[in-house]
Amino acid sequence: MRSLWVSLLTLVLSFSAAAAQASEIAEALTKLRTSFARTAFSHFKAMPLHLRYDVEVGEVIRIQDEQRLLKSSKCYPGLEIEVDDRTESVAVSLSRKSAVALGLGGRASLYGIPASGEAEFNRSVRRSVQSILMRTSFAYPLGGASELMSPTGDSAECEALFPPASIPMGPGLLVSSVFTGKLITQQAIDSDLAAGIDASAKLTPRGLPVEVSGDADASTSTRSVIAHLRPEGSFAVQSAFISRRALMDYYALAQNNLETWAELEALIESYVSGEEAGLLADIKSGIWSLWEKLDQPEETLTQYRERLFASEDADFVEDVGKLDVPEEAWDRIGVVAAAEVIVSTTIAE
């Protein structure tokens, strides 16, 4: 299965290579991955998926590279899955410039806008593009996560699921639920342009569905335009095992260093939402300085996730949302995940 981000980058290059340099696209993609990582942990209490998007409940994925170790059907044949299809939209912080570089702001031709209106359209999009992650479904075992406590498969591998750290192929995560959704963008553009899109709303250039929605805003003469640009797929998973101690590590660190932690959060936000390009090296340096100030040991996000989801003290969790830990604990991990994406990224200047 092609990776999510390779697929997204292919999509990006198809639509926006002529409008942005490769380095701009790479940096914009980094900002998007950073924002996704933070959102997955802080909002969904789940591990973000960067490489795959066909994850199933009851399978085991390797934490290091998110590759499938054990199929759900091997250990849980006949497992019945419940799917909650209630739609939820979550704003994904991303600068307007980065969104346009990724092609998320669209191009006039994709919306059926005449060439004569392209410049005006692009100006409007650059001022107002917003990225949104829509969670369209949430899959989990019909009988609850407790069904995962008793694998029904005959394979000897299935007997070693508890905890997944004992799997020979490497520390794994037993998937207890899957979030599936898609990335969309929303732009507020001039009503006259929106009317032009209305006239061609049935067109789907290059197979890209385009929807015009929302009423005109009398004060600004704008309407909302929504474009679906990311294929729908799994973007985050919850684990059947969680170490409460590991979950609380960064919460305690932040609580004991509130001022420094606030600086770290502000630095990450300034990078993700900032319009100025070429600041990655400075942001990395700033993050490392703050980690040193926090006396934070050098630990990669992979190592931390292994402690969180596959350590010997990880407990089976029936409902992640009902863990007896402060809500902010997940926010702290989101910050760590975002910082890790930034410091581990290399972009050719």
Side-chain angles (χ1 to χ4, degrees):
M1 176 60 67
R2 300 173 63 187
S3 78
L4 167 61
W5 297 109
V6 170
S7 298
L8 179 57
L9 184 56
T10 300
L11 180 66
V12 164
L13 293 173
S14 298
F15 292 122
S16 60
Q21 297 297 319
S23 60
E24 291 179 332
I25 295 175
E27 186 163 8
L29 186 58
T30 296
K31 291 183 177 183
L32 186 59
R33 291 181 68 243
T34 300
S35 192
F36 262 121
R38 181 173 55 179
T39 300
F41 277 115
S42 64
H43 184 83
F44 296 101
K45 300 180 178 64
M47 189 181 86
L49 298 173
H50 295 310
L51 301 179
R52 308 176 58 246
Y53 57 96
D54 64 338
V55 182
E56 298 178 355
V57 175
E59 75 178 38
V60 177
I61 60 175
R62 186 162 47 209
I63 292 175
Q64 179 180 1
D65 55 14
E66 300 169 17
Q67 296 301 308
R68 180 187 285 119
L69 296 180
L70 292 175
K71 293 183 178 180
S72 177
S73 58
K74 189 170 188 176
C75 296
Y76 302 97
L79 181 67
E80 294 187 70
I81 304 301
E82 180 78 7
V83 178
D84 178 357
D85 287 322
R86 288 179 297 177
T87 299
E88 177 183 7
S89 297
V90 180
V92 178
S93 178
L94 191 67
S95 70
R96 293 185 296 273
K97 183 176 181 180
S98 293
V100 172
L102 284 172
L104 300 181
R107 292 171 57 189
S109 59
L110 297 179
Y111 296 88
I113 298 294
S116 59
E118 185 164 0
E120 184 179 355
F121 175 83
N122 288 336
R123 281 196 299 271
S124 296
V125 167
R126 284 185 180 275
R127 287 195 303 267
S128 62
V129 67
Q130 178 186 16
S131 300
I132 300 174
L133 179 67
M134 290 190 69
R135 192 266 287 179
T136 54
S137 66
F138 175 55
Y140 54 92
L142 180 61
S146 59
E147 289 197 20
L148 301 178
M149 286 292 288
S150 302
T152 55
D154 295 329
S155 172
E157 293 174 300
C158 300
E159 298 176 2
L161 287 177
F162 307 100
S166 60
I167 295 175
M169 296 86 81
L173 181 155
L174 176 57
V175 178
S176 61
S177 56
V178 180
F179 290 95
T180 300
K182 54 191 169 185
L183 178 68
I184 67 172
T185 61
Q186 178 172 298
Q187 304 94 36
I189 67 174
D190 182 88
S191 293
D192 290 338
L193 283 177
I197 297 175
D198 272 331
S200 58
K202 294 182 179 179
L203 298 178
T204 55
R206 301 187 188 181
L208 182 68
V210 176
E211 176 187 349
V212 178
S213 63
D215 297 325
D217 186 325
S219 61
T220 61
S221 298
T222 59
R223 293 186 62 173
S224 294
V225 178
I226 297 176
H228 303 273
L229 291 178
R230 173 191 160 189
E232 186 170 330
S234 303
F235 64 83
V237 295
Q238 288 183 338
S239 174
F241 290 93
I242 292 179
S243 166
R244 288 173 174 82
R245 179 186 57 78
L247 180 58
M248 291 296 292
D249 279 353
Y250 287 106
Y251 174 77
L253 181 67
Q255 292 303 105
N256 293 328
N257 302 272
L258 290 175
E259 186 174 334
T260 304
W261 193 269
E263 291 181 47
L264 178 63
E265 290 181 307
L267 186 63
I268 292 171
E269 180 61 29
S270 70
Y271 176 68
V272 172
S273 60
E275 299 291 339
E276 188 175 353
L279 296 180
L280 183 60
D282 292 338
I283 297 294
K284 283 184 179 182
S285 177
I287 290 175
W288 283 122
S289 295
L290 289 171
W291 279 138
E292 292 176 1
K293 191 174 180 180
L294 289 166
D295 194 25
Q296 174 62 22
E298 294 187 13
E299 178 183 44
T300 67
L301 182 59
T302 294
Q303 292 171 327
Y304 174 70
R305 291 190 304 192
E306 290 174 356
R307 285 202 298 120
L308 180 63
F309 300 126
S311 62
E312 293 298 332
D313 68 348
D315 298 319
F316 185 84
V317 176
E318 175 69 23
D319 187 342
V320 173
K322 294 181 180 179
L323 274 176
D324 185 22
V325 297
E327 189 79 12
E328 292 84 355
W330 292 101
D331 295 334
R332 308 308 190 205
I333 301 177
V335 171
V336 174
E340 176 68 17
V341 171
I342 294 172
V343 300
S344 63
T345 297
T346 301
I347 296 176
E349 299 294 342

